[in-house]
Amino acid sequence: TDSELSARAGYAGGKSTGKDPSRPGESLVCYHNFQRIADYGKLGHGEVVSVSLPPSALPAFGREFAKLFDAKGDRPDKLDIGLEYRSILGLPGGADSPHFSALADTLPGMTLKPGAGNDPDTLGKRTIWVYDTAAFPFHQAEVYHQMHDGFFPGEDYPRAYNDLALAYYRAGKLAPSGCPDIV
């Protein structure tokens, strides 16, 4: 339902983070910005979506995830090139997770490899990097990156969906990232 926030856009898979001058001790991972603060690509992170699922839902999730890839095992937007756009899965325990094989079974033709951080792009490789979520945690993206339209034709979502980002922020369900943002 619209009252539940089940997914967040963000960054993961990098070996380092930036420093937040306004919050000592807090780390930052940000989208490309004119201030050049904690740029996710320069820090080795990829664009990800964090979802929390019960283990029983993982096979269904894997089948949906598989639909994101074309017949060659590539993402739809082949103009996005670089480690920022590599295919990533995060699991508690990474490739050693008890759920790893259940997900691998839903992704025929793809190779799931343990991620070591700052791993290269997977375009043309039929590869998905699998990260341990404790070693390579999720970093929530800026509020303006949540619930926005896609860039391909037909990826214009209803205004009510786009408006959820600010509503979730105001309700305290999305935290300020510390990065340059609209809030």
Side-chain angles (χ1 to χ4, degrees):
T1 68
D2 288 349
S3 65
E4 297 175 32
L5 180 60
S6 59
R8 290 176 178 83
Y11 317 103
K15 292 182 180 180
S16 61
T17 58
K19 302 295 181 213
D20 183 348
S22 67
R23 300 182 296 186
E26 296 287 324
S27 59
L28 280 180
V29 179
C30 304
Y31 194 70
H32 312 298
N33 57 81
F34 290 118
Q35 293 95 333
R36 299 180 183 188
I37 298 170
D39 183 295
Y40 79 107
K42 292 184 183 354
L43 295 170
H45 293 271
E47 294 181 0
V48 300
V49 176
S50 173
V51 295
S52 296
L53 300 170
S56 61
L58 288 174
F61 167 80
R63 289 189 296 275
E64 285 301 310
F65 185 65
K67 293 177 186 177
L68 296 175
F69 302 97
D70 65 18
K72 294 181 180 181
D74 286 326
R75 59 184 171 264
D77 188 350
K78 291 160 189 63
L79 297 178
D80 281 341
I81 297 172
L83 63 76
E84 298 102 312
Y85 308 105
R86 66 193 184 267
S87 299
I88 294 174
L89 276 173
L91 294 170
D96 294 326
S97 169
H99 309 297
F100 178 85
S101 61
L103 275 174
D105 290 346
T106 65
L107 297 159
M110 300 297 284
T111 301
L112 278 66
K113 293 184 177 180
N118 295 44
D119 298 293
D121 195 354
T122 54
L123 189 63
K125 309 271 193 250
R126 293 185 146 314
T127 297
I128 300 170
W129 296 111
V130 180
Y131 293 96
D132 179 348
T133 54
F136 299 97
F138 170 79
H139 300 273
Q140 180 196 295
E142 299 80 355
V143 172
Y144 77 85
H145 256 294
Q146 311 296 325
M147 292 94 178
H148 68 72
D149 292 336
F151 298 107
F152 280 129
E155 291 184 338
D156 297 326
Y157 305 117
R159 179 84 175 154
Y161 172 78
N162 302 135
D163 291 343
L164 287 173
L166 201 50
Y168 284 139
Y169 171 76
R170 289 180 178 144
K173 295 179 180 183
L174 283 172
S177 65
C179 298
D181 204 344
I182 60 169
V183 295

